[in-house]
Amino acid sequence: REGLMIRLNDDVRFDVVAQCPSAHHALDAIEQFQPDIAFVDIEMPGLSGLELAEKLSKNTTPVPKVVFVTAFREFALNAFEFQAFDYLLK
């Protein structure tokens, strides 16, 4: 997570509004800040990143583009089932 934050903070096109330790925190932050993009790990405490994306797709608030960031290549196809905008391997 730290490496991604460094890269995003160095890029003027991004304004990082939250860093979340779990999917439940991410849901709250997404509702509060309504970001354009959410970078989501597949493995997170509580809900998985895929479960988070599924919840977001059923939400009434604007849904951000979800970019999955993970070390697990085998989840790539599943991620696109949840309308992933992109998938980055660590």
Side-chain angles (χ1 to χ4, degrees):
R1 190 166 67 182
E2 293 81 21
L4 179 60
M5 287 301 301
I6 290 169
R7 286 169 181 80
L8 292 176
N9 283 326
D10 285 345
D11 192 322
V12 297
R13 297 173 295 173
F14 293 96
D15 183 18
V16 178
V17 295
Q19 243 190 106
C20 302
S22 71
H24 293 291
H25 286 97
L27 283 170
D28 292 341
I30 288 168
E31 185 175 322
Q32 178 183 355
F33 296 110
Q34 298 183 0
D36 296 322
I37 301 172
F39 289 87
V40 177
D41 201 335
I42 294 288
E43 286 196 341
M44 299 191 312
L47 299 174
S48 72
L50 296 173
E51 291 168 319
L52 171 63
E54 182 177 22
K55 282 191 172 285
L56 287 173
S57 70
K58 296 177 181 175
N59 217 341
T60 57
T61 60
V63 177
K65 292 179 174 153
V66 176
V67 177
F68 287 100
V69 183
T70 186
F72 302 100
R73 175 173 285 148
E74 62 270 17
F75 290 114
L77 291 177
N78 296 39
F80 288 105
E81 289 176 18
F82 294 101
Q83 277 68 49
F85 180 70
D86 207 348
Y87 189 93
L88 303 174
L89 289 175
K90 295 180 189 178

